[in-house]
């Protein structure tokens, strides 16, 4: 099988690495890809948001399967165009990707599918925003309706800050905001692979969205992740498939816009039960880095089955024992405008650490073969280990080998899970 992966982050590097381990895969191409993938994939340049250009590339490469990593190409209709050309594509249609592209649309689908989520209102003017903020009370949750690369959400006790964020969102063309009730409790990311009918959940993971330790500072695309979640209530995955993923997939099919690809369910385990925080229409970054490191079943067959409507025939997924942890190394000033162009050293030394591999994101090939920083999230250091504590130690040993001037990372990825200090106050599954 020839596979073309669209995107250039550590998530796509993780996809390439997993596909490279699948004996069914003959050749991997990545567009545009990144410097770290070049030993496993042939890199090709393309405007990922141009459906005609991506389809032409897939045809030229004789691709049997195209895997679309990021949301923007999906929303632009890349998956539709590839399928129209008769090539299997892992990723939803533009119409189905609205589940991620519009939080208001996602809320509407959840309402019809009776999926448990935060109470919310949609506003297009600031007076309505102020009224809703007062009604829901603090902590305030204000979300840009549209795509914002993980930076559209502000959660704050400060009314004025909430109002200010809403103003900025409303100032955009067709600006709309979603105001929500605050959800307490630990967060879980559950990736569900679907062909539009059948839902196959992957192993749940936890992401660390804030830039600083102890969840300080602004939201980012994600600063680290781990899997599995030993503290999660028994039956959580089955509960989420039954009450969230399957009803959502069924509702999308009922609307004539079936969702096939990856339904990313972001959850809060609140004192009143499990609630959806958000949907995404693609693999999450950095959770993918740990989930795919843990998946034993060869990936290409799974994604191909989802892309061809044959997921029901797939044998149950198999997982490695043990745990995986990833720590993101970010450039100076991220999540603001990152400082770029600095050399990165120590990647090989990091990969010499037991259980560690390093995935590239914002890097490019520099002079003398030394990669240089080229984006906000620069590297994902991924480690496996027989226990979560060992995986975490390995990950930080790896991180310690890498030098990038001004870079930063969180030091508390998976720490609370290991301490046993994550409290789930809900009644657990069935709520
Ligand atoms: P989203 O882009 O919707 O996933 O939001 C990004 C992050 O904001 C989430 O991972 C949560 O940490 C936080 N968040 C979003 N919605 C809520 C909510 N209703 N209550 C509490 N935190 C939230
Ligand atoms: N890890 C969060 C996201 O991919 O949106």
């Amino acid at each position: 099988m020839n596979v073309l992966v669209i995107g250039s982050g550590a998530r796509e590097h993780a996809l390439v690495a997993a596909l490279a381990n699948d004996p069914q895969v003959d050749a991997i191409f990545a567009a545009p890809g990144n410097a770290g993938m070049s030993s496993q994939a042939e890199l090709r340049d393309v405007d990922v948001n141009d459906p005609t250009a991506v389809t032409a590339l897939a045809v030229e490469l004789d691709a049997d399967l195209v895997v679309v990593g990021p949301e923007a190409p999906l929303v632009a209709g890349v998956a539709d165009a590839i399928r129209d050309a008769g090539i299997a594509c892992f990723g939803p249609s533009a119409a189905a990707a609205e589940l991620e592209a519009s939080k208001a649309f996602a809320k509407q689908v959840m309402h019809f599918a009776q999926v448990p989520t935060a109470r919310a209102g949609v506003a297009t003017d600031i007076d309505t925003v102020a009224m809703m903020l007062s009604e829901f009370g603090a902590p305030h949750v204000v979300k840009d309706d549209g795509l914002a690369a993980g930076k559209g959400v502000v959660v704050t006790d400060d009314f004025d800050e909430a109002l200010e964020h809403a103003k900025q969102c409303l100032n955009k063309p067709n600006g709309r905001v979603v105001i929500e009730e605050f959800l307490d409790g630990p967060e879980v990311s559950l990736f569900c692979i679907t062909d539009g009918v059948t839902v196959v959940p992957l192993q749940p993971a936890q992401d660390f969205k804030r830039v600083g330790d102890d969840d300080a500072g602004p939201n980012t695309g994600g600063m680290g992740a781990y899997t599995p979640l030993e503290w999660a209530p028994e039956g959580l995955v089955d509960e989420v498939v039954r009450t969230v993923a399957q009803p959502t997939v069924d509702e999308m099919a009922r609307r004539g816009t079936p969702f096939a690809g990856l339904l990313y369910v972001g959850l809060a385990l609140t004192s009143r039960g499990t609630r959806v925080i958000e949907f995404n229409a693609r693999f999450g970054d950095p959770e993918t880095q740990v989930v795919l490191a843990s998946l034993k079943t060869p990936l290409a067959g799974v994604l191909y089955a989802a892309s061809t409507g044959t997921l029901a025939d797939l044998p149950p997924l198999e997982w490695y024992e043990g745990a995986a942890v990833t720590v993101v190394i970010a450039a100076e000033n991220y999540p603001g405008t990152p400082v770029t162009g600095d050399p990165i050293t120590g990647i090989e030394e990091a990969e010499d650490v037991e259980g560690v591999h390093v995935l590239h994101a914002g890097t490019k090939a520099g002079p003398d073969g030394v990669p240089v920083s080229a984006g906000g999230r620069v590297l994902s250091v991924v480690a496996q280990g027989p226990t979560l504590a060992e995986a975490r130690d390995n990950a930080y040993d790896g991180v310690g080998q890498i030098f990038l001037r001004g870079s930063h990372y969180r030091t508390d990825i998976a720490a609370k899970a290991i301490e046993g200090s994550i409290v789930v106050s809900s009644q657990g599954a069935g709520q």
Side-chain angles (χ1 to χ4, degrees):
M1 195 189 306
N2 292 341
V3 188
L4 169 62
V5 176
I6 302 298
S8 62
R11 162 185 54 205
E12 286 77 18
H13 193 177
L15 286 162
V16 165
L19 291 165
N21 275 332
D22 185 337
Q24 256 193 293
V25 173
D26 302 305
I28 307 174
F29 303 91
N34 68 42
M37 300 172 186
S38 51
S39 60
Q40 290 163 324
E42 186 181 321
L43 305 187
R44 300 297 290 257
D45 220 5
V46 76
D47 174 357
V48 297
N49 295 322
D50 179 344
T52 311
V54 176
T55 305
L57 180 64
V59 170
E60 179 200 326
L61 298 172
D62 202 13
D64 301 293
L65 172 68
V66 180
V67 181
V68 181
E71 59 277 16
L74 295 169
V75 174
V78 163
D80 305 73
I82 292 167
R83 275 193 283 270
D84 285 349
I87 298 172
C89 181
F90 185 77
S93 66
E98 277 297 292
L99 269 186
E100 171 164 3
S102 167
K103 290 188 189 286
F105 175 76
K107 283 286 179 191
Q108 195 191 70
V109 171
M110 283 190 253
H111 175 75
F112 279 103
Q114 299 189 339
V115 166
T117 185
R119 284 192 303 132
V122 181
T124 51
D125 68 90
I126 204 70
D127 292 339
T128 310
V129 169
M131 202 185 68
M132 287 179 174
L133 289 175
S134 307
E135 190 189 317
F136 285 128
H140 303 293
V141 182
V142 179
K143 301 185 172 185
D144 196 332
D145 179 50
L147 293 181
K151 296 169 200 163
V153 178
V154 162
V155 181
T156 176
D157 283 321
D158 183 337
F159 185 87
D160 293 333
E161 190 188 337
L163 208 60
E164 187 49 42
H165 179 61
K167 263 186 206 155
Q168 279 175 21
C169 301
L170 292 176
N171 278 341
K172 295 183 187 170
N174 301 318
R176 279 206 293 188
V177 291
V178 174
I179 311 292
E180 275 188 11
E181 72 174 324
F182 177 78
L183 299 175
D184 64 342
E187 288 181 34
V188 171
S189 302
L190 183 70
F191 297 168
C192 295
I193 299 213
T194 174
D195 56 7
V197 177
T198 302
V199 173
V200 175
L202 302 186
Q203 196 167 276
Q206 193 171 43
D207 177 22
F208 293 74
K209 288 217 167 74
R210 301 275 184 153
V211 71
D213 283 0
D214 293 322
D215 296 332
N219 269 329
T220 68
M223 294 297 289
Y226 67 92
T227 188
L229 312 180
E230 279 166 19
W231 50 268
E234 212 174 304
L236 178 72
V237 171
D238 289 345
E239 178 204 352
V240 174
V241 170
R242 183 169 43 81
T243 64
V244 177
Q246 192 68 60
T248 300
V249 165
D250 293 348
E251 170 63 14
M252 292 300 284
R254 194 191 63 76
R255 287 169 178 246
T257 51
F259 185 102
L262 192 130
L263 180 64
Y264 167 135
V265 183
L267 300 154
L269 308 190
T270 81
S271 48
R272 287 179 293 141
T274 306
R275 299 279 184 274
V276 174
I277 291 187
E278 65 164 343
F279 285 142
N280 291 317
R282 44 140 186 106
F283 279 102
D285 187 348
E287 297 97 313
T288 300
Q289 289 85 302
V290 287
V291 171
L292 294 186
S294 305
L295 179 66
K296 204 184 216 174
T297 306
L299 183 65
V302 179
L303 302 186
Y304 192 77
S307 310
T308 52
T310 56
L311 216 43
D313 304 331
L314 196 74
L317 298 180
E318 290 184 68
W319 298 90
Y320 290 114
E321 301 281 325
V325 173
T326 188
V327 178
V328 170
I329 299 182
E332 184 174 354
N333 205 41
Y334 176 80
T337 308
V339 175
T340 57
D342 286 310
I344 307 157
T345 55
I347 293 176
E348 279 175 24
E349 291 79 354
E351 293 205 305
D352 286 342
V353 175
E354 169 89 24
V356 170
H357 62 280
V358 178
L359 300 172
H360 290 233
T363 69
K364 63 177 190 197
D368 317 324
V370 177
V372 296
S373 57
R377 291 188 291 176
V378 178
L379 297 171
S380 261
V381 178
V382 186
Q384 287 162 281
T387 64
L388 186 60
E390 283 163 282
R392 179 174 192 274
D393 287 346
N394 293 344
Y396 280 107
D397 283 350
V399 168
Q401 302 298 318
I402 291 170
F403 181 76
L404 166 64
R405 188 171 63 87
S407 63
H408 57 98
Y409 58 87
R410 280 184 65 155
T411 67
D412 63 345
I413 306 301
K416 284 198 179 126
I418 290 165
E419 277 167 22
S421 63
I422 298 181
V423 182
V424 185
S425 52
S426 76
Q427 313 309 305
Q431 281 278 299

